Amino acid sequence: MIKFLDLTAINTSFEPDLSQAVQRVVSSGWYLLGDEVNSFEKEYATYIGTKHCIGVANGLDALRLILKAYIELGVMHKGDEIIVPANTYIASILAISENKLKPILIEPDINTYNIDPYLIENKITERTKGIMIVHLYGQNAMHPEIQRLVDKYDLKLIEDNAQAQGCFFRDKRTGSLGHAAGHSFYPGKNLGALGDAGAVTTNDDEIASIIRSLANYGSTKKYINDFQGLNSRLDEIQAAVLSIKLKRLDIDNQKRREIAQYYCDNITNPAITLPVINQTSVITDTISHVWHLFVIRHPNRYLLQKYLSDNEIQTLIHYPIPPHKQGAYKECNNLSFPIAEQIHEEVLSLPISPIINDLEVEKIVEMINFFNID
Ligand SMILES: *Cc1c(COP(=O)(O)O)cnc(C)c1O
């Protein structure tokens, strides 16, 4: 069986360093707000290219805390609107609605699966305070048109970088392109912890200090609470693990690019739509994708998925139901986003990871090229 993602194999490839790092924390007797978190925050800020990194409990909290900080600052108010792509993972949208802000959904571009920058301006109103771009599947979503709108309407640009650690837009990493960015280190992400973990990166001193406080009970000094905060801290064990894994992230992302290139060069089944890569344009080149997921489209993707599964190849769907069709957002169920809906109906994610081997990739390509429903 070729697994969609073999986390055991990935984490074993970091041994013995990983176990030694965990053991070091266990022996230290210090498990929260210590040296491991401080070091990782510095390393990750340097890696991303921002002044600040604040470790938090997970990626959803990273995004929630950014918006909550803007509310504390008086930059955003209840009922204000945040632009977000309609086909994102639901966490991006939950972060907005949980803060009593209003998500304004925008259709994606069918070629990149990222927000269509040219559909945004029409949806900007007096109440629009920010744009949350999502670097979906690991591909940069930043675009000169988005920067133009951010400048013209004085909006906050928030990046959901949960799927794109290490990705570039031109000479800067995603996560350093806007006012603040949320990162997830969920185990299956390109930089994955051994449990939940996340971070915020920003160049803004004020936002950084408010987020740091909000994530620790709204406290600036022990037992002095300036805000109604929450408990959302990165712990020492996860930080120690992430420091080890960060050192290999660029190498691992490069392996993902090679696998993506092999898939694109060798999958020839005409019924399959491949992701577009290596097309140099204003926003796209080889380093603007870190291939968190390799997503193809097929008009009958469940048949293809079953066929692959019968042939010992595990695939997943990211994602089967768009957020506006979920029970969580009943008020949006009657809205229509045909491109997002088509994507959700047709996508299928193939196995991709830094440790998948050539034989496995060759077998996947061969099986897909044999697939024929007629
Ligand atoms: C994984 C993910 C998140 C949430 O991260 P968690 O660490 O699971 O909370 C947010 N947005 C996107 C696009 C994601 O893929």
Side-chain angles (χ1 to χ4, degrees):
M1 178 69 155
I2 301 175
K3 286 190 186 165
F4 177 72
L5 186 65
D6 189 344
L7 280 181
T8 308
I10 289 176
N11 287 324
T12 304
S13 74
F14 289 93
E15 292 292 21
D17 299 15
L18 216 52
S19 293
Q20 279 167 6
V22 171
Q23 190 54 54
R24 184 173 72 233
V25 178
V26 172
S27 314
S28 76
W30 195 274
Y31 307 115
L32 285 168
L33 303 174
D35 294 343
E36 301 285 352
V37 170
N38 282 337
S39 310
F40 174 70
E41 287 179 340
K42 287 205 180 72
E43 290 155 16
Y44 197 65
T46 304
Y47 178 83
I48 294 293
T50 52
K51 200 166 163 195
H52 304 280
C53 167
I54 303 105
V56 299
N58 55 65
L60 172 59
D61 278 3
L63 297 169
R64 287 166 68 193
L65 284 160
I66 292 167
L67 295 168
K68 196 170 163 60
Y70 281 121
I71 290 170
E72 293 292 351
L73 258 183
V75 170
M76 292 177 189
H77 300 91
K78 191 177 159 182
D80 283 345
E81 296 170 358
I82 307 291
I83 303 266
V84 65
N87 63 320
T88 184
Y89 179 55
I90 199 165
S92 325
I93 296 170
L94 288 171
I96 298 169
S97 58
E98 208 241 11
N99 277 294
K100 307 280 180 268
L101 298 164
K102 191 170 180 225
I104 302 297
L105 306 179
I106 306 282
E107 285 269 53
D109 177 322
I110 190 72
N111 295 309
T112 63
Y113 307 127
N114 276 326
I115 193 166
D116 186 334
Y118 296 105
L119 298 180
I120 298 175
E121 192 163 18
N122 264 340
K123 296 290 179 70
I124 293 178
T125 72
E126 300 273 83
R127 298 220 70 171
T128 308
K129 290 292 153 60
I131 302 179
M132 184 185 288
I133 55 171
V134 182
H135 306 294
L136 200 71
Y137 307 150
Q139 178 163 227
N140 166 59
M142 189 52 181
H143 190 284
E145 172 68 4
I146 295 176
Q147 190 64 55
R148 186 183 75 81
L149 298 174
V150 165
D151 296 339
K152 179 172 172 189
Y153 297 97
D154 193 20
L155 305 175
K156 295 297 174 197
L157 178 62
I158 297 152
E159 293 173 83
D160 180 341
N161 200 42
Q163 301 193 356
Q165 297 96 351
C167 180
F168 280 90
F169 169 60
R170 296 178 173 165
D171 57 350
K172 288 170 116 186
R173 300 242 192 215
T174 57
S176 72
L177 308 174
H179 295 93
H183 307 253
S184 164
F185 309 119
Y186 176 84
K189 298 287 160 78
N190 287 28
L191 178 61
L194 303 182
D196 278 318
V200 174
T201 52
T202 180
N203 287 315
D204 184 327
D205 298 344
E206 196 171 25
I207 278 293
S209 84
I210 295 174
I211 289 172
R212 194 173 286 291
S213 159
L214 284 173
N216 189 30
Y217 298 109
S219 160
T220 36
K221 257 200 214 133
K222 203 162 191 180
Y223 305 128
I224 307 291
N225 300 86
D226 294 338
F227 307 104
Q228 295 176 16
L230 44 141
N231 176 356
S232 179
R233 297 177 298 223
L234 176 64
D235 69 70
E236 291 281 289
I237 289 185
Q238 300 309 335
V241 164
L242 289 167
S243 287
I244 304 277
K245 295 182 76 173
L246 178 61
K247 294 189 183 77
R248 222 180 72 194
L249 181 57
D250 284 339
I251 293 170
D252 285 351
N253 283 341
Q254 192 51 35
K255 286 195 187 141
R256 289 174 181 268
R257 289 187 187 108
E258 284 160 20
I259 292 153
Q261 187 70 54
Y262 185 87
Y263 276 144
C264 286
D265 290 346
N266 292 283
I267 295 176
T268 52
N269 189 324
I272 284 174
T273 307
L274 291 164
V276 179
I277 62 164
N278 279 4
Q279 176 209 38
T280 307
S281 71
V282 276
I283 59 158
T284 315
D285 55 33
T286 46
I287 55 174
S288 65
H289 209 321
V290 291
W291 300 100
H292 172 56
L293 297 169
F294 189 90
V295 178
I296 61 172
R297 292 195 345 259
H298 189 282
N300 220 323
R301 61 110 184 267
Y302 284 119
L303 272 185
L304 174 59
Q305 184 175 42
K306 175 160 190 317
Y307 160 87
L308 290 172
S309 157
D310 291 345
N311 287 286
E312 307 270 286
I313 296 163
Q314 189 187 15
T315 58
L316 294 178
I317 293 168
H318 301 90
Y319 300 89
I321 304 170
H324 72 279
K325 294 289 181 197
Q326 299 281 1
Y329 290 104
K330 290 206 179 61
E331 67 280 16
C332 298
N333 286 177
N334 62 338
L335 300 180
S336 164
F337 295 96
I339 300 170
E341 286 157 32
Q342 182 194 349
I343 291 170
H344 284 81
E345 273 163 29
E346 296 185 348
V347 287
L348 188 68
S349 306
L350 303 184
I352 189 163
S353 83
I355 51 95
I356 192 167
N357 67 45
D358 292 353
L359 281 178
E360 291 172 319
V361 178
E362 282 162 24
K363 177 179 169 186
I364 294 165
V365 168
E366 201 174 314
M367 294 317 304
I368 288 178
N369 286 341
F370 266 128
F371 179 65
N372 189 346
I373 44 174
D374 307 320

